[in-house]
Amino acid sequence: MPSTSAHLGSQIAPLRRALLRRTRAHANLPDLPDAQVEVLRVLVQGGPATPGALASQLQVARSTVSNLLRAMIAAGLVERGTGEDLRTARVTATPRAADLLARYDTASERVLDEALSELTAADRRAIERAAPALARLTAAIDRRDNPSAGL
């Protein structure tokens, strides 16, 4: 029998892919990569940001953010402007991108609600009880990358 870690690890990626695939189909959304959705979420929730701040918040390399932003600018999802001192580039989510993210979130919640309704009451309660623990697990994993996080 696999360990809890192995079993959980083998379930997370398929769950995420299935949810993303079904959500896109449900709301007729474009095929945005997960990484772009993460960038949009940061920009929509937190407002304009520098590429360096995005890289730091998402815990990815600046070159990764640069490549993502290049593709997202070309797709009309973000706009690049200058900061107050004219030397600092700041990116902002476009209204279209904010709308796509809102549609994604609404559709994702609907897809999850529909799937959860097919489970037993005991399974739904188990998932409800597990959600806070999964958030703490994510924080514990993040602390391994950044020991000062969460202090």
Side-chain angles (χ1 to χ4, degrees):
M1 179 153 167
S3 70
T4 300
S5 299
H7 189 64
L8 184 60
S10 72
Q11 295 302 310
I12 290 174
L15 171 64
R16 185 158 175 78
R17 284 191 306 271
L19 177 59
L20 189 57
R21 188 174 49 250
R22 182 68 187 122
T23 296
R24 286 177 181 144
H26 186 79
N28 196 28
L29 291 164
D31 187 15
L32 294 177
D34 263 354
Q36 289 186 11
V37 172
E38 289 182 45
V39 169
L40 290 178
R41 192 167 305 288
V42 168
L43 293 174
V44 168
Q45 291 174 353
T50 64
L54 285 170
S56 177
Q57 189 164 354
L58 296 171
Q59 297 181 350
V60 297
R62 288 181 73 132
S63 60
T64 300
V65 169
S66 293
N67 291 333
L68 283 168
L69 292 176
R70 190 174 3 268
M72 294 172 78
I73 289 168
L77 298 173
V78 297
E79 296 171 339
R80 187 178 212 122
T82 55
E84 293 174 9
D85 67 4
L86 301 179
R87 293 177 291 169
T88 306
R90 297 182 71 73
V91 286
T92 306
T94 64
R96 175 178 167 260
D99 176 65
L100 286 173
L101 186 60
R103 287 177 45 213
Y104 172 84
D105 287 345
T106 299
S108 177
E109 186 175 347
R110 195 170 302 132
V111 166
L112 280 167
D113 284 343
E114 290 170 3
L116 286 166
S117 74
E118 295 178 19
L119 301 180
T120 66
D123 280 347
R124 287 192 304 274
R125 282 191 305 275
I127 291 169
E128 185 178 339
R129 284 191 310 269
L134 289 171
R136 291 188 298 274
L137 178 60
T138 300
I141 292 168
D142 282 345
R143 278 193 303 274
R144 299 215 177 269
D145 288 337
N146 184 5
S148 64
L151 296 180

